[in-house]
Amino acid sequence: MEKIKSSEITPESQYLSRREFLKGLGIVSASSMILAACGAQSASSTDIPTDSPANPVNSSPLPATPSPTVIDEPLTSYEAITNYNNYYEFTTDKERVASLAKDFPTSPWQIEVGGLVNKPKTYDLDDISKFSLQERIYRLRCVEAWSMVIPWVGFPLSELLKEVEPTSDAKYVRFETIYDPEKMPGQKVQWYQWPYIEGLRVDEAMHDLTILATGIYGKPLLPQNGAPVRLVVPWKYGFKSIKGIVKIDLVSEMPTSLWMAAAPNEYGFYANVNPEVSHPRWSQASERRIGDNSRTQTLMFNGYEEEVAHLYDGMDLAVNY
Amino acid sequence: MISISLPRFTKFQAAVHIAAWIPLALLVFNWFTNNLTFNPIQALELRTGKYALVLLILALACTPLNTVFGFRQAIKVRRALGLYAFMYASIHFLIFIGLDYQFDLILLQEAIFEKRYAFVGFAAGLILLALAVTSTRGWMKRLGRTWTRLHKLVYLAGILVIVHYVWLVKSDIRIPLLYGALVLTLLILRIPAVRHKASKLRQNRLFNWVRDFSQSWMERIKTTRIQNPAQGE
C-alpha cells in the first residue's frame, strides 16, 4: 500500500482527537450504533464534525476500533463526502442526492444473504450491529476522475460470508441495492436497468480490504452515502462499491452489473483502478481530489497494489477492465 | 443627448449583449463566493461548455429565424452570438488546460490527443478561433467569396461540439442528443428545398393571423407612445 505508515502519521487534528476519544471508549456494545441509526440520542457526543447540519439526529459515534489503514493524505471533509454523491437511484445530479435522500428510511432494513451457501440468513440491523466495527481510511476513486479520502467505519465482508458458509460451487458474489421507485425517484428513469447490481469474485470479496461500511467519520452512514449498509472496495472504481444493499447472493456465474448492462464496452466486471487502462472515452491517468483543486497521478489499484495485485496474476488487465 | 460615437444598438441587440455577459458574471460571483459545488473546477468546465454550446446554437438559429420565420433582427446579432460562443469556448478551454490540468503538458497531451471527446472539442475550438479572427469587415472584404465558404465551417463546429458532448457523458446521452436534434434542425432548415417549404408555411392562415395580431398590438403600443410622448422617452 503506497504512502501508508500506520504509526507515524498524524491525521487532521480534529480527527485525531476523536480517535483518542474512541480509544478511551474501548469497544462499546455495538447496539448503541443501531440506537443512533434509529434516531435515539446516545449519551456520548462526538467532537467531529460538529458543524455538520446534514443530519443532527445521527450524531452519536460508532464504536469502532481505530483504523488499521491510515493514509498520509488529508481526509476529505464530512461536508463534501455527504453532499457530493453519485447515487443514481435518487438523481444523476451529485449536488442534489443529499436533499432527495434526506428522508429515505433506512430502518427497519433486511439483507437477504443466500444462493450457494450452506447457511442462508436474513440479517436485520441488529444482526449487522453484532459485527465488531473497525475504522478504515481509504481512498475512493470515482471513474469520473475525482477522488476522496474517507474514514469509513465497517467490518470485513469476509466475516459475514464466513457465517453463511459459501459452498465450493460459489465463484462470485452478487449484490443488489433496494428497489423502491416511490422513494428513489431516479429509479423511475428507464434508461438504466434497476435495481443496481454489482459483483465481486469470491476471492475479491474475501479480501481483508473489502468491507461492508455502516459509518463515516465515526457516525452512522447517511442515506446519500448508502445507508444503512454499503460495500467498499477501495482498489476498484467507486461504482463497484454498491449502496443500500438488500441482497447478497453467492453464485457460480459472473453477475452482470448495472453498468456492464448499460455500456458493456466501457464498464467491465473488474473495474480495478488502473491509470494504464483508460476508459474508452477519457483518460484515467490522473484525478482531482475533492476539496483540493490540484490534479494528482492516479495510482495502480488506487494505491493498494501491494495488497491486491496477486488476485490478478496472469490476467490481462486491459482485457479484463 | 446620447453620445454619437457609441454604436447604434437596437433594444434587441442591447438585450442580447447584456444577456450574453450575465452567465460569466454569475460564474465569477459563484467562484468567489464558493458556490460552485464541491468540485468547482469541473463545475466551471461544464457550465462554460454549456454556455458556449447554447450561444453557438443561438448563432446558428439566426439565419433560419430570418429566412424561414421572417425575423430580420436575428441577422443583426448573429456575429455577436458567434463571438460570444467563441468567448465562452475559450474560457472553457483555458479552464481545462490551466485550472484543471495546470499546464501539465504530459497529461494534457494525453487528454487532448488520445481521448476522442477532448480531441473533437479541441477541433471545434480551432474552427471557432479561425471564424472569430476573420469575423471583421476587413477580413470579409479581403477574403471575398472564400469568406462565405470559410464561415460555413460553423456547421461542422456545431456537429463537433455535439459529438464532444455525447462522448463526454457517462452513459445517459439523452440530453446531449436533444441538443444534437436542435443543431440538426437548424442545419436542415438551411437546405434550400426545406427552407422554401418552411417559409411557405408563412402563407398559412394561422401564421398570418398570429402575425397580424401581434402587429396590431405593436401598432397600438406605438400609438400610445406617440399620444403620451413622456412615457416613451
Side-chain angles (χ1 to χ4, degrees):
Chain A
M1 198 181 302
E2 293 210 14
K3 292 183 184 173
I4 292 168
K5 309 152 202 160
S6 60
S7 57
E8 314 154 17
I9 291 141
T10 311
E12 249 175 37
S13 59
Q14 58 164 12
Y15 192 59
L16 181 71
S17 63
R18 184 183 60 85
R19 291 181 63 209
E20 296 302 313
F21 168 77
L22 283 174
K23 260 187 221 164
L25 214 66
I27 298 171
V28 188
S29 155
S31 63
S32 67
M33 165 215 157
I34 294 306
L35 281 175
C38 297
Q41 284 282 2
S42 133
S44 48
S45 68
T46 173
D47 51 343
I48 30 110
T50 46
D51 55 343
S52 168
N55 199 337
V57 177
N58 289 345
S59 58
S60 23
L62 294 177
T65 53
S67 181
T69 53
V70 177
I71 291 182
D72 187 14
E73 288 162 29
L75 299 175
T76 306
S77 76
Y78 185 75
E79 196 68 19
I81 296 170
T82 54
N83 286 287
Y84 192 72
N85 313 100
N86 265 332
Y87 203 165
Y88 280 21
E89 278 79 348
F90 290 101
T91 170
T92 54
D93 180 350
K94 289 186 265 293
E95 297 281 313
R96 281 179 57 228
V97 173
S99 62
L100 283 169
K102 189 165 57 80
D103 299 319
F104 185 72
T106 55
S107 176
W109 193 273
Q110 287 192 323
I111 303 173
E112 202 184 312
V113 186
L116 302 170
V117 295
N118 290 325
K119 295 180 176 170
K121 178 176 174 181
T122 299
Y123 289 80
D124 59 24
L125 291 179
D126 222 24
D127 300 321
I128 294 291
S129 73
K130 295 197 174 86
F131 292 97
S132 66
L133 298 174
Q134 300 172 15
E135 179 178 78
R136 299 286 183 101
I137 299 174
Y138 287 156
R139 298 180 191 91
L140 176 98
R141 170 61 157 78
C142 180
V143 75
E144 298 164 1
W146 53 265
S147 62
M148 295 183 175
V149 177
I150 302 177
W152 300 103
V153 174
F155 57 92
L157 172 63
S158 61
E159 288 181 17
L160 181 140
L161 293 180
K162 279 173 199 155
E163 282 192 359
V164 296
E165 294 179 11
T167 69
S168 57
D169 295 333
K171 298 284 182 280
Y172 295 92
V173 188
R174 180 185 178 279
F175 303 86
E176 197 175 307
T177 296
I178 188 169
Y179 179 69
D180 188 351
E182 286 312 307
K183 298 195 183 75
M184 295 178 136
Q187 287 181 333
K188 289 179 184 160
V189 176
Q190 299 296 313
W191 184 268
Y192 300 101
Q193 286 172 35
W194 307 109
Y196 201 93
I197 305 291
E198 260 308 337
L200 294 173
R201 235 166 43 192
V202 164
D203 58 344
E204 295 175 323
M206 296 298 286
H207 194 285
D208 183 59
L209 285 177
T210 306
I211 61 166
L212 287 177
T214 57
I216 285 171
Y217 265 112
K219 309 208 291 182
L221 281 182
L222 297 180
Q224 62 265 39
N225 293 113
V229 181
R230 67 169 292 170
L231 184 70
V232 179
V233 195
W235 72 91
K236 292 174 181 285
Y237 291 116
F239 65 85
K240 291 295 286 185
S241 294
I242 185 170
K243 293 167 176 163
I245 299 169
V246 291
K247 211 162 180 290
I248 300 176
D249 279 318
L250 280 290
V251 294
S252 59
E253 301 286 319
M254 181 184 281
T256 303
S257 71
L258 176 135
W259 281 109
M260 288 162 74
N265 56 331
E266 298 184 18
Y267 305 101
F269 174 77
Y270 287 96
N272 293 319
V273 175
N274 189 339
E276 304 296 319
V277 177
S278 287
H279 182 277
R281 296 183 294 144
W282 59 74
S283 166
Q284 294 292 18
S286 64
E287 64 198 54
R288 191 179 315 111
R289 227 5 101 65
I290 297 298
D292 164 9
N293 284 336
S294 70
R295 195 168 262 280
T296 52
Q297 301 274 348
T298 292
L299 303 170
M300 187 65 200
F301 293 112
N302 205 21
Y304 302 95
E305 186 170 15
E306 206 179 292
E307 288 87 346
V308 302
H310 69 273
L311 295 171
Y312 311 102
D313 277 346
M315 276 176 68
D316 184 346
L317 295 175
V319 176
N320 298 287
Y321 53 91
Chain B
M1 293 293 283
I2 301 164
S3 143
I4 302 162
S5 63
L6 277 175
R8 278 209 213 143
F9 280 164
T10 64
K11 276 182 188 163
F12 178 67
Q13 278 175 304
V16 165
H17 281 282
I18 291 165
W21 285 99
I22 288 172
L24 184 62
L26 282 177
L27 269 188
V28 172
F29 179 75
N30 284 328
W31 173 264
F32 286 108
T33 53
N34 246 337
N35 254 326
L36 284 171
T37 82
F38 286 96
N39 198 349
I41 294 177
Q42 190 183 53
L44 281 180
E45 281 168 350
L46 294 177
R47 287 182 204 186
T48 50
K50 185 62 74 67
Y51 300 146
L53 171 63
V54 169
L55 284 161
L56 188 63
I57 287 175
L58 288 174
L60 283 170
C62 291
T63 302
L65 276 175
N66 176 41
T67 56
V68 179
F69 299 96
F71 183 61
R72 280 191 208 142
Q73 292 230 55
I75 291 301
K76 289 192 170 169
V77 296
R78 187 173 60 180
R79 176 164 64 179
L81 286 170
L83 285 170
Y84 282 124
F86 171 69
M87 177 178 87
Y88 281 101
S90 307
I91 298 169
H92 179 67
F93 179 70
L94 287 173
I95 288 167
F96 179 72
I97 64 166
L99 268 183
D100 192 346
Y101 281 85
Q102 289 159 354
F103 303 106
D104 184 326
L105 291 180
I106 296 165
L107 286 177
L108 272 172
Q109 189 217 333
E110 204 225 349
I112 294 179
F113 294 106
E114 291 180 29
K115 292 301 120 196
R116 56 185 194 178
Y117 89 90
F119 186 76
V120 292
F122 188 60
L126 287 180
I127 293 177
L128 291 184
L129 172 68
L131 302 193
V133 168
T134 58
S135 67
T136 59
R137 264 174 220 279
W139 274 103
M140 234 170 156
K141 274 184 193 159
R142 234 167 291 165
L143 292 175
R145 280 195 152 187
T146 323
W147 190 90
T148 319
R149 276 164 57 206
L150 177 71
H151 278 248
K152 287 210 163 125
L153 278 176
V154 72
Y155 309 150
L156 178 61
I159 292 164
L160 288 177
V161 295
I162 295 299
V163 174
H164 173 65
Y165 192 7
V166 168
W167 279 347
L168 172 71
V169 297
K170 205 159 161 187
S171 158
D172 189 346
I173 54 171
R174 287 174 300 173
I175 290 171
L177 288 183
L178 209 67
Y179 280 96
L182 216 54
V183 169
L184 203 64
T185 309
L186 294 175
L187 296 189
I188 288 171
L189 282 174
R190 287 173 157 82
I191 299 169
V194 179
R195 191 178 65 211
H196 293 315
K197 202 145 211 188
S199 57
K200 268 200 184 141
L201 283 174
R202 285 162 66 190
Q203 318 298 328
N204 182 304
R205 265 192 196 170
L206 178 69
F207 186 93
N208 285 339
W209 184 82
V210 171
R211 190 192 55 196
D212 295 344
F213 184 77
S214 53
Q215 269 175 0
S216 73
W217 267 98
M218 292 290 268
E219 285 301 316
R220 239 187 260 186
I221 292 165
K222 275 182 196 162
T223 41
T224 353
R225 274 207 193 143
I226 292 160
Q227 280 161 5
N228 309 298
Q231 271 186 351
E233 306 308 306

